[in-house]
């Protein structure tokens, strides 16, 4: 509403309850029978025996009590306190209208001992901060722990917004930082395959056995655990089996004479290897075998007898997060 002249004064203007005098100079101030404390004597207009009293000279205010300082020394029951008016208490500005407190009017300053803004509980509900959507039709809430937790702590956000797939972790003192997701010791993936194709060789030259398995690590700092179960391993004559593991074209390990038993006796061989992933690039692991030393006879995998009997081998790669 428009107006002409000065901006209207906003304050709390009240007339306090009537006071009956007696042989004392100090009286309690009440409003509707409730103790009332003016901001200062200068906020009060006091009439005694029809005479307006001078603040601080004729009376003083301490909390919700007034003390008169009459020239006669002490008031008596014959004296009359006509009225006590209180005008414009400093903090009594009334209730602001909706949407009248703008961003420019707020200035929440934090100190070393106090937060710039507090979201209080109502005695039964814990303090809750809600961040609304653009239409204010819904929002998400951040809520304090329950009163029973007696929780008082500070969480300090990181200096950056982190990288993809990272999560917030604490140092135990409330300082947050970004860390890689997943956590150490967890299995990220397992790759497994069975093989039934038979392999036979009579030479000392290493050749692919058909036991091969590919994997693409999910993290560069994880570890790969590779296990090979070669079944139906058999030899005859004066022969011994050697085996090698490759990562793509790179040789990782050689196991010499992993099998040397009686002729045509079938058995199994288990090979284990640990490898740092080092990157998230795809790679393939494979097993080669040879007749070492090649003096006579042959060696076989998935082929338990010379007449073509077969069985099943397997490979497994397990990725474990750092």
């Amino acid at each position: 509403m428009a107006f002409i002249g000065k901006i209207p004064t906003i304050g709390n203007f009240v007339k306090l309850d009537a006071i009956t005098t007696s042989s004392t100079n100090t009286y309690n101030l009440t409003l509707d029978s409730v103790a009332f404390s003016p901001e200062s004597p200068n906020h009060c207009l006091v009439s005694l025996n029809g005479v307006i009293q001078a603040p601080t000279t004729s009376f003083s205010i301490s909390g919700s009590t007034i003390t008169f300082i009459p020239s006669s020394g002490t008031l008596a029951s014959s004296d009359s306190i006509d009225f006590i008016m209180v005008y414009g208490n400093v903090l009594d500005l009334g209730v602001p209208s909706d949407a009248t407190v703008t961003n420019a009017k707020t200035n929440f300053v934090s100190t070393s001992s106090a937060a710039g803004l507090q979201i209080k509980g109502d005695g039964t509900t814990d303090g809750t901060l809600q961040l609304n959507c653009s239409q204010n039709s819904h929002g998400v809430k951040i809520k304090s722990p329950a009163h029973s937790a007696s929780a008082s702590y500070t969480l300090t956000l990181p200096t950056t917004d982190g990288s993809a797939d990272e999560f917030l972790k604490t140092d135990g003192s409330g300082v947050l930082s970004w860390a890689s997701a997943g956590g150490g010791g967890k299995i990220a993936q397992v790759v497994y395959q069975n093989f039934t194709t038979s392999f036979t060789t009579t030479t000392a030259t290493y050749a692919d056995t058909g036991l091969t398995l590919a994997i693409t690590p999910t993290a560069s700092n994880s570890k790969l655990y590779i296990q090979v179960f070669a079944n139906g391993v058999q030899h005859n004559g004066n022969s011994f089996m050697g085996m090698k593991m490759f990562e793509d074209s790179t040789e990782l390990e050689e196991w010499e004479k992993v099998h040397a038993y009686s002729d045509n006796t079938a058995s199994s061989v288990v090979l284990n290897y640990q490898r740092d992933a080092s990157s998230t690039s795809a790679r393939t692991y494979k097993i080669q075998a040879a007749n070492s030393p090649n003096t006579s006879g042959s060696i076989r995998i998935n082929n338990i007898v010379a007449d073509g009997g077969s069985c099943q081998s397997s490979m497994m790669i397990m990725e474990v997060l750092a």
Side-chain angles (χ1 to χ4, degrees):
M1 177 179 178
F3 55 86
I4 298 175
K6 294 182 178 180
I7 298 176
T9 302
I10 300 175
N12 188 25
F13 307 150
V14 297
K15 180 182 179 181
L16 300 185
D17 297 339
I19 297 175
T20 301
T21 58
S22 60
S23 56
T24 181
N25 291 347
T26 300
Y27 299 90
N28 294 325
L29 300 175
T30 61
L31 176 63
D32 297 328
S33 301
V34 177
F36 187 92
S37 300
E39 291 293 325
S40 73
N42 294 328
H43 287 76
C44 302
L45 180 64
V46 179
S47 175
L48 176 64
N49 297 326
V51 178
I52 300 300
Q53 304 296 298
T56 69
T57 301
S58 298
F59 68 92
S60 63
I61 297 291
S62 177
S64 62
T65 62
I66 182 171
T67 300
F68 289 91
I69 313 170
S71 58
S72 60
T74 304
L75 296 184
S77 58
S78 58
D79 292 308
S80 174
I81 300 175
D82 305 309
F83 59 81
I84 300 178
M85 297 293 298
V86 180
Y87 296 101
N89 278 348
V90 173
L91 298 179
D92 293 332
L93 300 178
V95 179
S97 302
D98 291 348
T100 60
V101 181
T102 63
N103 290 344
K105 301 299 182 183
T106 58
N107 186 20
F108 303 125
V109 179
S110 300
T111 68
S112 60
S113 59
L117 176 65
Q118 286 190 27
I119 307 298
K120 296 184 177 180
D122 64 358
T124 57
T125 303
D126 302 314
T128 305
L129 173 65
Q130 179 166 318
L131 303 175
N132 283 354
C133 68
S134 61
Q135 302 300 313
N136 295 306
S137 59
H138 54 270
V140 297
K141 299 176 181 178
I142 300 174
K143 190 175 183 180
S144 167
H147 169 70
S148 58
S150 299
S152 294
Y153 55 83
T154 299
L155 296 178
T156 302
L157 293 174
T159 56
T160 67
D161 61 356
S163 301
D165 300 324
E166 290 185 327
F167 71 98
L168 278 176
K169 71 173 184 178
T170 178
D171 65 352
S173 298
V175 178
L176 305 180
S177 61
W178 298 106
S180 298
K186 293 184 179 180
I187 297 176
Q189 61 173 319
V190 175
V191 182
Y192 181 87
Q193 187 171 340
N194 289 322
F195 302 89
T196 57
T197 302
S198 63
F199 167 80
T200 302
T201 185
T202 60
T203 71
T205 301
Y206 277 92
D208 292 344
T209 63
L211 300 177
T212 179
L213 191 59
I215 189 172
T216 301
T218 61
S220 60
N221 61 344
S222 63
K223 290 187 178 299
L224 304 178
Y225 293 89
I226 308 160
Q227 183 179 81
V228 179
F229 176 70
N231 198 15
V233 176
Q234 190 178 65
H235 80 112
N236 60 16
N238 188 14
S239 59
F240 300 88
M241 179 179 288
M243 303 181 81
K244 287 184 178 182
M245 178 181 291
F246 288 80
E247 180 183 83
D248 295 329
S249 59
T250 302
E251 181 181 328
L252 300 180
E253 183 69 86
E254 179 179 10
W255 295 273
E256 294 184 355
K257 299 181 181 180
V258 294
H259 187 270
Y261 299 104
S262 301
D263 286 351
N264 295 323
T265 300
S267 63
S268 300
V269 174
V270 178
L271 308 175
N272 291 289
Y273 192 83
Q274 176 184 304
R275 179 75 167 161
D276 292 334
S278 301
S279 73
T280 56
S281 299
R283 74 284 309 268
T284 299
Y285 294 92
K286 67 178 182 180
I287 297 297
Q288 290 187 347
N291 185 356
S292 178
N294 179 25
T295 55
S296 64
S298 62
I299 58 173
R300 310 181 191 91
I301 299 176
N302 284 350
N303 189 355
I304 58 176
V305 291
D307 62 5
S310 65
C311 54
Q312 180 172 274
S313 300
S314 64
M315 284 186 70
M316 180 179 69
I317 306 175
M318 180 169 57
E319 180 185 6
V320 179
L321 298 175

